Amino acid sequence: MRPLVAVQFQEISLRQVIIIGSGPAGYTAAIYAARANLAPLLIASSVEAGGELMKTTEVENFPGFPNGVMGPELMMNMQEQAEKFGTEIVLDDVVSVELLGDVKRVTLGNGEVHEALTVIYATGSAYRKLGVEGESRLSGYGVSWCATCDGFFFRQKTIAVVGGGDSAMEEATFLTKFADKVYVIHRSANLRASKIMQDRARANPKIEFLLHKTVTEVVGSDLVTGVVLQDTVDGSTSELELSGVFIAIGNDPRTHLVHGQVDLTAEGTIAVDGRSSRTSLPGVFAAGDVLDVTYRQAVTAAASGTVAALDVEHYLASLPAPSLAALSA
């Protein structure tokens, strides 16, 4: 006879709102939702709580910090503010979501299941990496994925932008405001950027194109000192002295959990209704870089989190009494 096994059943309480993601969008949504007495549950990653800003050094363009602020410090302040108003924060990873019904279910890596009438999806996006030696180690020390965030630190320096799309041309042009020299490195002569963006970059005397080249290594001990280039035609290698490398080969919104449940745009971001945060599913809202293909700034993500929290508040107020009564059942 098999031994009896004690099974512990988890008691699930229905919440008003669950926020998935802990970047500027998620934390700002939590602050607003908590101040509206919605008692939000925010699920942050077990290893990436705070989002991409946790990998950033000094942030100089976030309002309210005239002397700048370190990325991790900014996110810790946002977390503290969210908790101050009553946000419950769980450091775990969401492994699945069920969003189609009136009650949304969120399952965590530890097996816990949380239910809510609404969900704010604020998982952000991940910059695509080259995957070469030195890239991750020197992130924040000369390697960057955001010209508007870090360009100021490269005044009168020689730097490079890796990529051939519109974003690469835009970043290279923007960086000429600070750097003395900007190289654009691309694996072929066929750039993906629009003609007008290419023409603008080529007309800038500070920009030089290095075509048929790939970066195989980022060089430097504590700071970037250069990159190793490989010629895609003859295979030869060379080293280029630089003070910074900006990688502009695209980014991927973290939408894998909601595929097949909410509508996505052609760019792969979550589709929302106009300037709102409302997705194709009632009770499901999106905020931050997961719906933004253009700006991807901390301040715009925070503003998006505000919109999502306000939209949630309005949605909950529109629900019939029986739905709200389940909260206290």
Side-chain angles (χ1 to χ4, degrees):
M1 173 181 282
R2 296 176 59 188
L4 295 176
V5 178
V7 178
Q8 182 176 359
F9 292 94
Q10 179 187 358
E11 182 179 347
I12 300 175
S13 59
L14 183 63
R15 297 174 181 269
Q16 295 186 80
V17 57
I18 294 174
I19 300 167
I20 303 174
S22 57
Y27 280 140
T28 304
I31 292 167
Y32 272 77
R35 292 186 74 251
N37 294 322
L38 300 184
L41 171 67
L42 185 146
I43 302 172
S45 168
S46 62
V47 294
E48 292 185 337
E52 293 296 322
L53 278 181
M54 295 298 289
K55 306 172 186 176
T56 304
T57 52
E58 192 168 7
V59 179
E60 290 196 321
N61 57 2
F62 199 90
F65 296 92
N67 297 317
V69 60
M70 300 298 286
E73 180 185 355
L74 177 61
M75 299 319 301
M76 290 176 67
N77 286 344
M78 286 188 176
Q79 177 181 340
E80 182 180 346
Q81 190 173 0
E83 290 177 314
K84 171 187 174 182
F85 292 115
T87 300
E88 180 185 349
I89 296 177
V90 173
L91 297 177
D92 203 342
D93 299 307
V94 177
V95 295
S96 68
V97 293
E98 299 171 41
L99 305 175
L100 298 178
D102 292 336
V103 174
K104 320 303 178 185
R105 293 171 59 90
V106 177
T107 302
L108 306 185
N110 63 8
E112 290 184 0
V113 178
H114 297 275
E115 294 185 341
L117 295 176
T118 64
V119 165
I120 296 176
Y121 197 77
T123 52
S125 64
Y127 292 109
R128 293 176 190 160
K129 294 186 176 182
L130 298 172
V132 300
E133 174 66 29
E135 178 185 24
S136 296
R137 178 173 56 85
L138 293 169
S139 173
Y141 298 92
V143 175
S144 174
W145 287 263
C146 180
T148 54
C149 305
D150 300 327
F152 179 84
F153 301 110
F154 295 90
R155 288 187 178 275
Q156 300 178 323
K157 303 290 187 180
T158 298
I159 59 180
V161 173
V162 182
D166 278 350
S167 61
M169 300 303 108
E170 185 175 355
E171 297 226 331
T173 302
F174 175 82
L175 288 167
T176 60
K177 296 180 180 181
F178 310 105
D180 285 344
K181 179 79 173 182
V182 179
Y183 291 101
V184 173
I185 302 170
H186 188 55
R187 62 176 58 249
S188 73
N190 299 318
L191 302 177
R192 301 185 310 277
S194 60
K195 185 177 185 302
I196 188 171
M197 294 296 291
Q198 291 188 49
D199 291 346
R200 186 175 302 164
R202 292 183 187 279
N204 193 309
K206 287 188 175 183
I207 297 177
E208 180 179 341
F209 284 78
L210 299 178
L211 303 178
H212 297 292
K213 306 286 186 184
T214 60
V215 174
T216 59
E217 181 181 353
V218 180
V219 181
S221 54
D222 299 323
L223 297 171
V224 168
T225 58
V227 294
V228 175
L229 300 177
Q230 183 173 43
D231 192 291
T232 59
V233 177
D234 61 22
S236 61
T237 60
S238 60
E239 186 168 330
L240 179 66
E241 291 186 5
L242 299 168
S243 296
V245 182
F246 287 79
I247 300 168
I249 57 176
N251 68 300
D252 298 304
R254 296 187 176 102
T255 59
H256 59 284
L257 290 172
V258 297
H259 285 183
Q261 298 189 66
V262 301
D263 291 345
L264 303 179
T265 67
E267 294 82 7
T269 55
I270 294 179
V272 294
D273 181 16
R275 296 185 63 186
S276 79
S277 66
R278 297 186 296 271
T279 71
S280 58
L281 286 179
V284 180
F285 305 84
D289 287 4
V290 78
L291 58 80
D292 182 5
V293 297
T294 305
Y295 302 106
R296 299 196 300 272
Q297 299 295 302
V299 69
T300 54
S304 180
T306 301
V307 171
L310 294 175
D311 284 345
V312 163
E313 188 177 359
H314 295 154
Y315 173 82
L316 290 171
S318 72
L319 291 180
S323 297
L324 296 177
L327 290 169
S328 57

Short mmCIF file of all heavy atoms in Angstrom, two decimals, residues 10-60:
data_model
loop_
_atom_site.label_atom_id
_atom_site.label_comp_id
_atom_site.label_asym_id
_atom_site.label_seq_id
_atom_site.Cartn_x
_atom_site.Cartn_y
_atom_site.Cartn_z
N GLN A 10 -3.62 25.71 -1.05
CA GLN A 10 -3.33 27.13 -0.90
C GLN A 10 -4.62 27.94 -0.94
O GLN A 10 -5.48 27.75 -1.80
CB GLN A 10 -2.40 27.61 -2.04
CG GLN A 10 -2.09 29.08 -1.97
CD GLN A 10 -1.33 29.52 -3.20
OE1 GLN A 10 -1.03 28.71 -4.07
NE2 GLN A 10 -1.02 30.80 -3.27
N GLU A 11 -4.77 28.81 0.03
CA GLU A 11 -5.92 29.69 0.05
C GLU A 11 -5.62 30.91 -0.81
O GLU A 11 -4.62 31.59 -0.60
CB GLU A 11 -6.23 30.13 1.48
CG GLU A 11 -7.46 31.02 1.58
CD GLU A 11 -7.77 31.43 3.01
OE1 GLU A 11 -7.17 30.82 3.91
OE2 GLU A 11 -8.59 32.34 3.19
N ILE A 12 -6.46 31.14 -1.82
CA ILE A 12 -6.23 32.23 -2.76
C ILE A 12 -7.22 33.35 -2.48
O ILE A 12 -8.43 33.14 -2.48
CB ILE A 12 -6.39 31.74 -4.22
CG1 ILE A 12 -5.40 30.62 -4.51
CG2 ILE A 12 -6.17 32.90 -5.19
CD1 ILE A 12 -5.57 30.01 -5.88
N SER A 13 -6.70 34.54 -2.22
CA SER A 13 -7.57 35.68 -1.99
C SER A 13 -7.59 36.55 -3.25
O SER A 13 -6.56 36.75 -3.88
CB SER A 13 -7.08 36.50 -0.79
OG SER A 13 -5.77 36.96 -1.01
N LEU A 14 -8.75 37.04 -3.60
CA LEU A 14 -8.91 37.84 -4.80
C LEU A 14 -8.48 39.27 -4.52
O LEU A 14 -8.95 39.91 -3.57
CB LEU A 14 -10.37 37.81 -5.26
CG LEU A 14 -10.69 38.54 -6.56
CD1 LEU A 14 -9.94 37.91 -7.72
CD2 LEU A 14 -12.19 38.55 -6.81
N ARG A 15 -7.59 39.78 -5.36
CA ARG A 15 -7.08 41.14 -5.21
C ARG A 15 -7.72 42.05 -6.25
O ARG A 15 -8.31 41.59 -7.22
CB ARG A 15 -5.56 41.14 -5.37
CG ARG A 15 -4.82 40.33 -4.31
CD ARG A 15 -3.34 40.26 -4.60
NE ARG A 15 -2.63 39.47 -3.60
CZ ARG A 15 -2.09 39.98 -2.50
NH1 ARG A 15 -2.18 41.28 -2.27
NH2 ARG A 15 -1.46 39.21 -1.65
N GLN A 16 -7.52 43.34 -6.04
CA GLN A 16 -8.03 44.30 -7.02
C GLN A 16 -7.07 44.41 -8.21
O GLN A 16 -7.51 44.49 -9.35
CB GLN A 16 -8.22 45.67 -6.36
CG GLN A 16 -9.29 45.66 -5.28
CD GLN A 16 -9.57 47.04 -4.75
OE1 GLN A 16 -10.30 47.81 -5.37
NE2 GLN A 16 -9.00 47.37 -3.60
N VAL A 17 -5.77 44.41 -7.94
CA VAL A 17 -4.82 44.59 -9.04
C VAL A 17 -3.50 43.90 -8.72
O VAL A 17 -3.01 43.94 -7.59
CB VAL A 17 -4.56 46.09 -9.34
CG1 VAL A 17 -4.06 46.83 -8.12
CG2 VAL A 17 -3.60 46.26 -10.52
N ILE A 18 -2.96 43.24 -9.74
CA ILE A 18 -1.61 42.68 -9.68
C ILE A 18 -0.78 43.39 -10.73
O ILE A 18 -1.21 43.53 -11.89
CB ILE A 18 -1.60 41.16 -9.94
CG1 ILE A 18 -2.32 40.41 -8.81
CG2 ILE A 18 -0.18 40.64 -10.11
CD1 ILE A 18 -2.48 38.92 -9.07
N ILE A 19 0.40 43.83 -10.34
CA ILE A 19 1.33 44.49 -11.26
C ILE A 19 2.49 43.55 -11.50
O ILE A 19 3.13 43.08 -10.56
CB ILE A 19 1.83 45.82 -10.66
CG1 ILE A 19 0.65 46.75 -10.40
CG2 ILE A 19 2.85 46.48 -11.60
CD1 ILE A 19 1.00 47.95 -9.52
N ILE A 20 2.74 43.24 -12.77
CA ILE A 20 3.86 42.36 -13.13
C ILE A 20 4.96 43.23 -13.72
O ILE A 20 4.81 43.82 -14.80
CB ILE A 20 3.41 41.29 -14.14
CG1 ILE A 20 2.24 40.48 -13.58
CG2 ILE A 20 4.59 40.37 -14.49
CD1 ILE A 20 1.66 39.49 -14.58
N GLY A 21 6.07 43.34 -13.02
CA GLY A 21 7.19 44.16 -13.48
C GLY A 21 7.56 45.21 -12.46
O GLY A 21 6.70 45.79 -11.80
N SER A 22 8.87 45.47 -12.35
CA SER A 22 9.34 46.34 -11.28
C SER A 22 10.28 47.44 -11.77
O SER A 22 11.15 47.89 -11.03
CB SER A 22 10.06 45.52 -10.20
OG SER A 22 11.14 44.79 -10.79
N GLY A 23 10.11 47.86 -13.01
CA GLY A 23 10.85 49.00 -13.50
C GLY A 23 10.11 50.29 -13.16
O GLY A 23 9.19 50.30 -12.33
N PRO A 24 10.48 51.40 -13.79
CA PRO A 24 9.80 52.67 -13.52
C PRO A 24 8.29 52.61 -13.75
O PRO A 24 7.52 53.22 -13.01
CB PRO A 24 10.47 53.65 -14.49
CG PRO A 24 11.80 53.05 -14.77
CD PRO A 24 11.60 51.57 -14.72
N ALA A 25 7.86 51.86 -14.77
CA ALA A 25 6.42 51.74 -15.04
C ALA A 25 5.72 50.98 -13.94
O ALA A 25 4.67 51.40 -13.43
CB ALA A 25 6.19 51.06 -16.38
N GLY A 26 6.26 49.84 -13.55
CA GLY A 26 5.63 49.02 -12.53
C GLY A 26 5.57 49.71 -11.18
O GLY A 26 4.52 49.72 -10.51
N TYR A 27 6.68 50.30 -10.76
CA TYR A 27 6.70 50.96 -9.45
C TYR A 27 5.80 52.19 -9.43
O TYR A 27 5.13 52.47 -8.43
CB TYR A 27 8.13 51.35 -9.07
CG TYR A 27 8.96 50.21 -8.53
CD1 TYR A 27 10.30 50.07 -8.87
CD2 TYR A 27 8.39 49.27 -7.66
CE1 TYR A 27 11.05 49.02 -8.37
CE2 TYR A 27 9.15 48.22 -7.16
CZ TYR A 27 10.48 48.11 -7.51
OH TYR A 27 11.22 47.07 -7.01
N THR A 28 5.78 52.96 -10.52
CA THR A 28 4.91 54.13 -10.55
C THR A 28 3.45 53.72 -10.52
O THR A 28 2.62 54.33 -9.82
CB THR A 28 5.19 54.99 -11.78
OG1 THR A 28 6.58 55.35 -11.81
CG2 THR A 28 4.36 56.26 -11.77
N ALA A 29 3.11 52.68 -11.27
CA ALA A 29 1.74 52.17 -11.23
C ALA A 29 1.39 51.74 -9.81
O ALA A 29 0.27 51.98 -9.33
CB ALA A 29 1.59 51.00 -12.19
N ALA A 30 2.33 51.12 -9.12
CA ALA A 30 2.09 50.67 -7.74
C ALA A 30 1.86 51.85 -6.81
O ALA A 30 0.98 51.80 -5.93
CB ALA A 30 3.26 49.83 -7.26
N ILE A 31 2.64 52.91 -6.97
CA ILE A 31 2.48 54.10 -6.12
C ILE A 31 1.08 54.67 -6.29
O ILE A 31 0.38 54.96 -5.30
CB ILE A 31 3.56 55.14 -6.47
CG1 ILE A 31 4.94 54.64 -6.05
CG2 ILE A 31 3.25 56.49 -5.80
CD1 ILE A 31 6.09 55.47 -6.62
N TYR A 32 0.65 54.84 -7.53
CA TYR A 32 -0.67 55.42 -7.78
C TYR A 32 -1.79 54.48 -7.33
O TYR A 32 -2.79 54.92 -6.75
CB TYR A 32 -0.82 55.76 -9.26
CG TYR A 32 -0.32 57.14 -9.61
CD1 TYR A 32 1.04 57.39 -9.72
CD2 TYR A 32 -1.20 58.19 -9.82
CE1 TYR A 32 1.52 58.66 -10.03
CE2 TYR A 32 -0.74 59.46 -10.13
CZ TYR A 32 0.61 59.69 -10.24
OH TYR A 32 1.07 60.95 -10.53
N ALA A 33 -1.63 53.19 -7.59
CA ALA A 33 -2.67 52.24 -7.20
C ALA A 33 -2.78 52.14 -5.68
O ALA A 33 -3.88 52.06 -5.13
CB ALA A 33 -2.37 50.87 -7.80
N ALA A 34 -1.64 52.15 -5.01
CA ALA A 34 -1.66 52.07 -3.55
C ALA A 34 -2.30 53.31 -2.94
O ALA A 34 -3.07 53.22 -1.97
CB ALA A 34 -0.24 51.88 -3.02
N ARG A 35 -2.00 54.48 -3.49
CA ARG A 35 -2.58 55.71 -2.97
C ARG A 35 -4.09 55.79 -3.24
O ARG A 35 -4.81 56.54 -2.58
CB ARG A 35 -1.88 56.94 -3.58
CG ARG A 35 -0.45 57.08 -3.10
CD ARG A 35 0.20 58.37 -3.58
NE ARG A 35 -0.33 59.51 -2.82
CZ ARG A 35 -1.14 60.43 -3.32
NH1 ARG A 35 -1.54 60.34 -4.59
NH2 ARG A 35 -1.54 61.45 -2.59
N ALA A 36 -4.55 54.98 -4.20
CA ALA A 36 -5.99 54.90 -4.47
C ALA A 36 -6.65 53.79 -3.65
O ALA A 36 -7.80 53.42 -3.91
CB ALA A 36 -6.23 54.66 -5.95
N ASN A 37 -5.91 53.23 -2.68
CA ASN A 37 -6.42 52.18 -1.79
C ASN A 37 -6.79 50.90 -2.53
O ASN A 37 -7.73 50.20 -2.16
CB ASN A 37 -7.63 52.69 -0.99
CG ASN A 37 -7.26 53.78 -0.02
OD1 ASN A 37 -6.20 53.75 0.60
ND2 ASN A 37 -8.13 54.78 0.12
N LEU A 38 -6.03 50.59 -3.58
CA LEU A 38 -6.29 49.36 -4.33
C LEU A 38 -5.45 48.19 -3.83
O LEU A 38 -5.57 47.08 -4.35
CB LEU A 38 -6.02 49.59 -5.83
CG LEU A 38 -6.86 50.67 -6.50
CD1 LEU A 38 -6.56 50.73 -8.00
CD2 LEU A 38 -8.35 50.43 -6.27
N ALA A 39 -4.59 48.43 -2.83
CA ALA A 39 -3.77 47.37 -2.22
C ALA A 39 -3.08 46.51 -3.27
O ALA A 39 -3.27 45.29 -3.32
CB ALA A 39 -4.63 46.51 -1.30
N PRO A 40 -2.24 47.10 -4.13
CA PRO A 40 -1.65 46.33 -5.22
C PRO A 40 -0.61 45.30 -4.75
O PRO A 40 0.08 45.52 -3.75
CB PRO A 40 -0.97 47.41 -6.07
CG PRO A 40 -0.66 48.51 -5.10
CD PRO A 40 -1.80 48.51 -4.13
N LEU A 41 -0.56 44.22 -5.48
CA LEU A 41 0.52 43.25 -5.35
C LEU A 41 1.44 43.44 -6.54
O LEU A 41 1.00 43.35 -7.69
CB LEU A 41 -0.02 41.82 -5.34
CG LEU A 41 1.03 40.70 -5.42
CD1 LEU A 41 1.89 40.66 -4.17
CD2 LEU A 41 0.37 39.35 -5.67
N LEU A 42 2.71 43.74 -6.29
CA LEU A 42 3.67 43.90 -7.37
C LEU A 42 4.62 42.71 -7.36
O LEU A 42 5.24 42.42 -6.33
CB LEU A 42 4.46 45.21 -7.22
CG LEU A 42 5.43 45.54 -8.36
CD1 LEU A 42 5.51 47.05 -8.58
CD2 LEU A 42 6.83 45.00 -8.09
N ILE A 43 4.73 42.06 -8.49
CA ILE A 43 5.61 40.90 -8.61
C ILE A 43 6.85 41.32 -9.37
O ILE A 43 6.80 41.63 -10.56
CB ILE A 43 4.90 39.73 -9.31
CG1 ILE A 43 3.63 39.35 -8.52
CG2 ILE A 43 5.83 38.53 -9.42
CD1 ILE A 43 2.76 38.36 -9.22
N ALA A 44 7.96 41.37 -8.65
CA ALA A 44 9.24 41.72 -9.23
C ALA A 44 10.01 40.43 -9.53
O ALA A 44 9.75 39.39 -8.95
CB ALA A 44 10.04 42.61 -8.28
N SER A 45 10.94 40.52 -10.42
CA SER A 45 11.74 39.36 -10.76
C SER A 45 12.60 38.93 -9.58
O SER A 45 12.99 39.75 -8.74
CB SER A 45 12.64 39.70 -11.96
OG SER A 45 13.61 38.70 -12.16
N SER A 46 12.91 37.66 -9.52
CA SER A 46 13.78 37.15 -8.46
C SER A 46 15.23 37.57 -8.68
O SER A 46 16.03 37.61 -7.74
CB SER A 46 13.70 35.63 -8.38
OG SER A 46 14.13 35.04 -9.61
N VAL A 47 15.59 37.88 -9.93
CA VAL A 47 16.99 38.24 -10.22
C VAL A 47 17.14 39.59 -10.90
O VAL A 47 18.23 40.16 -10.92
CB VAL A 47 17.67 37.16 -11.11
CG1 VAL A 47 17.79 35.86 -10.35
CG2 VAL A 47 16.90 36.96 -12.41
N GLU A 48 16.05 40.15 -11.44
CA GLU A 48 16.15 41.42 -12.16
C GLU A 48 15.18 42.46 -11.62
O GLU A 48 14.66 43.29 -12.35
CB GLU A 48 15.89 41.20 -13.66
CG GLU A 48 16.97 40.38 -14.35
CD GLU A 48 16.75 40.28 -15.85
OE1 GLU A 48 15.60 40.43 -16.29
OE2 GLU A 48 17.74 40.07 -16.58
N ALA A 49 14.93 42.42 -10.32
CA ALA A 49 14.04 43.41 -9.72
C ALA A 49 14.61 44.81 -9.95
O ALA A 49 15.80 45.05 -9.73
CB ALA A 49 13.88 43.15 -8.23
N GLY A 50 13.76 45.72 -10.38
CA GLY A 50 14.22 47.08 -10.68
C GLY A 50 14.44 47.33 -12.14
O GLY A 50 14.57 48.48 -12.55
N GLY A 51 14.47 46.29 -12.95
CA GLY A 51 14.58 46.46 -14.40
C GLY A 51 15.96 46.88 -14.87
O GLY A 51 16.97 46.76 -14.17
N GLU A 52 16.00 47.42 -16.09
CA GLU A 52 17.26 47.75 -16.75
C GLU A 52 18.03 48.85 -16.03
O GLU A 52 19.26 48.93 -16.14
CB GLU A 52 16.99 48.17 -18.20
CG GLU A 52 16.46 47.06 -19.10
CD GLU A 52 17.46 45.93 -19.27
OE1 GLU A 52 18.68 46.21 -19.38
OE2 GLU A 52 17.03 44.76 -19.29
N LEU A 53 17.33 49.71 -15.29
CA LEU A 53 18.03 50.80 -14.61
C LEU A 53 18.95 50.29 -13.50
O LEU A 53 19.84 51.01 -13.05
CB LEU A 53 17.04 51.81 -14.04
CG LEU A 53 16.50 52.86 -15.01
CD1 LEU A 53 15.55 53.81 -14.31
CD2 LEU A 53 17.63 53.64 -15.66
N MET A 54 18.74 49.07 -13.06
CA MET A 54 19.64 48.49 -12.06
C MET A 54 21.03 48.26 -12.64
O MET A 54 22.00 48.09 -11.90
CB MET A 54 19.06 47.17 -11.53
CG MET A 54 17.76 47.34 -10.77
SD MET A 54 17.92 48.35 -9.29
CE MET A 54 18.86 47.24 -8.23
N LYS A 55 21.14 48.27 -13.98
CA LYS A 55 22.44 48.07 -14.64
C LYS A 55 23.05 49.39 -15.09
O LYS A 55 24.09 49.41 -15.73
CB LYS A 55 22.26 47.15 -15.85
CG LYS A 55 21.58 45.83 -15.54
CD LYS A 55 21.27 45.07 -16.81
CE LYS A 55 20.46 43.82 -16.53
NZ LYS A 55 20.06 43.12 -17.77
N THR A 56 22.37 50.50 -14.77
CA THR A 56 22.81 51.81 -15.23
C THR A 56 23.55 52.52 -14.11
O THR A 56 23.21 52.38 -12.94
CB THR A 56 21.60 52.67 -15.67
OG1 THR A 56 20.88 51.95 -16.67
CG2 THR A 56 22.04 54.01 -16.23
N THR A 57 24.57 53.28 -14.48
CA THR A 57 25.31 54.03 -13.46
C THR A 57 24.55 55.32 -13.15
O THR A 57 23.54 55.30 -12.48
CB THR A 57 26.75 54.30 -13.91
OG1 THR A 57 26.72 54.90 -15.23
CG2 THR A 57 27.53 53.01 -13.98
N GLU A 58 25.03 56.46 -13.62
CA GLU A 58 24.41 57.73 -13.27
C GLU A 58 23.31 58.11 -14.27
O GLU A 58 23.51 58.07 -15.48
CB GLU A 58 25.46 58.84 -13.22
CG GLU A 58 24.93 60.12 -12.57
CD GLU A 58 26.04 61.10 -12.27
OE1 GLU A 58 27.18 60.85 -12.67
OE2 GLU A 58 25.76 62.13 -11.62
N VAL A 59 22.15 58.47 -13.73
CA VAL A 59 21.02 58.94 -14.53
C VAL A 59 20.90 60.44 -14.33
O VAL A 59 20.68 60.91 -13.21
CB VAL A 59 19.71 58.25 -14.11
CG1 VAL A 59 18.54 58.77 -14.93
CG2 VAL A 59 19.85 56.73 -14.25
N GLU A 60 21.06 61.21 -15.40
CA GLU A 60 21.06 62.67 -15.28
C GLU A 60 19.81 63.31 -15.88
O GLU A 60 19.64 64.53 -15.75
CB GLU A 60 22.30 63.26 -15.97
CG GLU A 60 23.60 62.96 -15.24
CD GLU A 60 24.71 63.86 -15.71
OE1 GLU A 60 24.78 64.14 -16.92
OE2 GLU A 60 25.52 64.27 -14.87
#
